[in-house]
Amino acid sequence: AIYKRLSHAEIKIVTLSEGEINELHVGLKGTMNALFLKDLAIKTRRGQRGRVEAGKIPGGNSYGYNIIRQLKEDGTVTTGEREINLEQASIIRRIFEEYANGQPPRKIASSLNAEGIASPRGGKWNASTINGSRQRRNGILNNELYLGRITYNRQRFIKDPETGKRRSRLNPEHEWIITDVPALRIIDDDVWNRVQAIKARYTSQVGNKRQTKKRLLTGLVKCGSCGGSMTIVNRERYSCSAKRERGTCDSPVGIKAAELEDRVLTGFKDILLGNERMIESFVTEFKAEVIRLRKQHGNHERQTQKDMNKINTAIKRCLTFITEGDGDPGLVRDELKALEVRKRDLERQILVADEDRNIEVHPNIAELYAKKVTELQSLLTDETTRSQAMDTVRSMIDKIGVHAGTERDKPDVILVGALAQILNYTQQNKTAASNGSDGRALMVAGARNRRYLH
């Protein structure tokens, strides 16, 4: 894809070892590199499998163990060897015992944090760190190494061709490599089985199924007390995740997701439709941008036409050289082909420019603007427009703080982001207020760039 783009822009790729790169290099080298990486991955997995079968750890270190490094006779250092970290092992046993006795992961994490005990990564404990995933066998309660067992090849990683990110895929159980290492056992069978029985019971419940449809404000809602993220509880209510998962926040404030979205969207409409100056600014800037783009396209079109004239002249010269018999036609055949390709490319650019020239500014753009804002809610519920509408709304919000209000069940919502900056610009940093039909007050506090939704 990069080679095609650069070739289209008439940019050459030159390397020190290969010289100028062409289609042959891209095809052959790309295939050879892909085969090399695949072969390397196979060799790496084969080596790791041998390490597992020898009772060695093939990857990173788990919580509860120390890495052992010893110098061998040949001067190399041993790898894959572990020993139990007694202090961390006591924490692991405590977690298993408390969970087996009915303590939920959130409460266990909260007590560990209250005592100042560091998590595996050195920070605060989360319920997910303890609970993990039964399917992927991660988390403290699912780590079979604590049972004295190394399990290798549970999953593989595949790179997503669209995003370039690694995605994990579970392997069938018959492909797993399991080796017993009794010296690394921390948990006995009885406690392990009790814990797994409890996890199996909870995992089978319907309430543990995850929300698959992304909400409008996911990731933007913050606790006004600790600044941490607020996540959905019981499928419908935002609550402080630091309080639930870690026990490090004592804020009781929560808000229903539907109510928060309604307040934010209503605030958007009040802001975007309740300020004539903003609409005037929008229309003015929109028209100015259209004029600027037309001018830019005009300059580009003139340059394209000049290039087209040069190409036509060059083609005529090549044809004259061939028809008048002044030399071998083969000498200009390749050049003529390149000129024809370039000409077709310029013709496409001229065609696109002609289409852009026909675009006109809607005469009632202000009314169209108001109509689109009014239809915002319906655009978010329509699956065909939901994704684009969500991206548009979210792009104007940096975060939404939920703070305790004067009334118990009516928290204050503070919207921080570009929308408030736009309003401040149109109001020339003057404090503005308006009242909705339901008594909701909308206030902007000058340079603070915050929109308060009460």
Side-chain angles (χ1 to χ4, degrees):
I2 295 176
Y3 177 78
K4 290 181 179 179
R5 292 193 186 100
L6 293 177
S7 298
H8 178 72
E10 297 185 342
I11 299 174
K12 297 180 180 180
I13 303 176
V14 181
T15 66
L16 188 62
S17 59
E18 301 291 342
E20 184 177 342
I21 301 299
N22 55 34
E23 289 83 355
L24 188 63
H25 290 91
V26 174
L28 289 179
K29 286 288 185 180
T31 303
M32 292 173 63
N33 290 340
L35 291 174
F36 172 78
L37 292 175
K38 186 175 182 179
D39 183 59
L40 181 63
I42 293 174
K43 291 179 179 178
T44 301
R45 285 195 294 270
R46 185 166 61 240
Q48 290 178 336
R49 176 171 181 167
R51 301 291 289 167
V52 171
E53 292 174 345
K56 309 296 183 182
I57 305 297
N61 191 34
S62 294
Y63 183 75
Y65 300 97
N66 296 325
I67 298 176
I68 300 176
R69 300 290 192 193
Q70 294 179 346
L71 191 64
K72 296 191 291 187
E73 293 181 357
D74 60 359
T76 60
V77 179
T78 59
T79 59
E81 296 185 358
R82 302 288 187 271
E83 66 178 5
I84 295 176
N85 182 309
L86 298 179
E87 182 180 354
Q88 294 179 357
S90 66
I91 302 300
I92 293 170
R93 294 190 187 98
R94 169 183 168 178
I95 292 173
F96 271 82
E97 289 287 351
E98 290 184 357
Y99 187 85
N101 292 329
Q103 294 283 359
R106 290 192 181 107
K107 191 168 183 179
I108 297 173
S110 178
S111 63
L112 292 172
N113 289 328
E115 295 174 26
I117 299 174
S119 71
R121 294 189 177 183
K124 299 292 185 180
W125 286 87
N126 288 319
S128 58
T129 306
I130 296 172
N131 209 24
S133 167
R134 276 179 58 85
Q135 186 180 27
R136 299 191 181 280
R137 305 288 181 91
N138 55 23
I140 297 291
L141 297 177
N142 295 311
N143 193 341
E144 294 183 350
L145 188 57
Y146 300 145
L147 200 60
R149 181 190 303 159
I150 301 175
T151 303
Y152 173 71
N153 200 38
R154 286 198 308 263
Q155 61 185 7
R156 65 190 185 280
F157 291 92
I158 300 176
K159 182 178 289 187
D160 189 325
E162 296 294 331
T163 63
K165 295 182 179 180
R166 292 202 314 164
R167 303 292 183 186
S168 61
R169 301 278 179 85
L170 287 176
N171 291 325
E173 287 197 30
H174 68 269
E175 295 182 3
W176 296 3
I177 310 298
I178 300 175
T179 302
D180 290 329
V181 281
L184 299 182
R185 175 189 280 266
I186 295 177
I187 302 299
D188 60 50
D189 289 335
D190 178 60
V191 175
W192 175 271
N193 292 333
R194 286 163 57 199
V195 166
Q196 300 311 312
I198 295 173
K199 288 182 66 64
R201 184 166 67 248
Y202 281 115
T203 303
S204 64
Q205 293 183 0
V206 177
N208 283 277
K209 293 184 178 179
R210 296 181 61 187
Q211 171 76 25
T212 57
K213 188 175 182 180
K214 185 177 180 180
R215 295 181 182 272
L216 173 64
L217 304 177
T218 297
L220 299 175
V221 188
K222 305 296 180 182
C223 173
S225 178
C226 70
S229 296
M230 298 186 73
T231 54
I232 293 293
V233 182
N234 297 329
R235 300 188 179 183
E236 63 174 18
R237 188 175 183 84
Y238 280 103
S239 177
C240 178
S241 62
K243 179 183 179 181
R244 294 174 53 245
E245 302 290 335
R246 305 176 185 174
T248 56
C249 179
D250 57 0
S251 174
V253 179
I255 186 171
K256 289 185 177 180
E259 178 187 348
L260 180 60
E261 291 181 7
D262 178 66
R263 288 169 68 169
V264 170
L265 291 177
T266 302
F268 265 41
K269 294 176 185 177
D270 290 340
I271 294 170
L272 297 175
L273 296 179
N275 295 273
E276 296 300 328
R277 186 164 186 169
M278 176 182 286
I279 298 176
E280 292 174 3
S281 298
F282 168 78
V283 173
T284 301
E285 291 298 324
F286 183 84
K287 290 181 177 179
E289 180 66 10
V290 171
I291 293 172
R292 186 190 69 80
L293 290 175
R294 282 181 176 173
K295 184 177 180 180
Q296 179 179 328
H297 288 163
N299 294 335
H300 183 265
E301 186 178 354
R302 284 190 291 272
Q303 182 61 46
T304 302
Q305 191 59 54
K306 288 181 181 179
D307 293 341
M308 177 64 81
N309 294 337
K310 292 180 181 179
I311 292 294
N312 287 331
T313 301
I315 291 175
K316 288 180 181 179
R317 289 176 180 172
C318 290
L319 293 176
T320 300
F321 179 84
I322 294 173
T323 56
E324 293 184 359
D326 292 338
D328 184 5
L331 297 176
V332 296
R333 185 178 294 115
D334 292 340
E335 182 180 355
L336 184 59
K337 288 181 179 179
L339 290 171
E340 290 290 348
V341 171
R342 178 60 177 158
K343 181 179 179 179
R344 286 194 294 271
D345 181 52
L346 291 174
E347 287 174 344
R348 284 194 296 269
Q349 293 183 30
I350 293 173
L351 181 61
V352 172
D354 290 339
E355 293 175 354
D356 291 341
R357 193 187 302 112
N358 295 327
I359 298 176
E360 298 291 340
V361 178
H362 197 285
N364 297 321
I365 190 170
E367 289 80 357
L368 182 63
Y369 166 90
K371 182 175 182 291
K372 292 297 183 182
V373 173
T374 305
E375 294 175 348
L376 184 59
Q377 187 69 50
S378 61
L379 293 174
L380 288 167
T381 55
D382 187 344
E383 289 299 327
T384 59
T385 57
R386 174 180 171 82
S387 178
Q388 184 177 0
M390 283 182 61
D391 290 342
T392 301
V393 172
R394 291 172 63 87
S395 68
M396 293 188 287
I397 302 173
D398 290 337
K399 65 178 181 179
I400 298 173
V402 180
H403 300 254
T406 54
E407 298 182 37
R408 179 181 175 82
D409 296 328
K410 292 185 178 180
D412 291 339
V413 178
I414 303 177
L415 187 151
V416 182
L419 187 66
Q421 294 175 339
I422 294 171
L423 186 60
N424 281 335
Y425 168 75
T426 60
Q427 295 293 335
Q428 295 182 345
N429 289 332
K430 294 180 181 179
T431 301
S434 63
N435 291 320
S437 58
D438 58 353
R440 183 180 292 113
L442 305 176
M443 297 176 291
V444 171
R448 292 175 64 189
N449 290 337
R450 291 184 176 180
R451 165 62 69 179
Y452 291 82
L453 308 179
H454 298 292

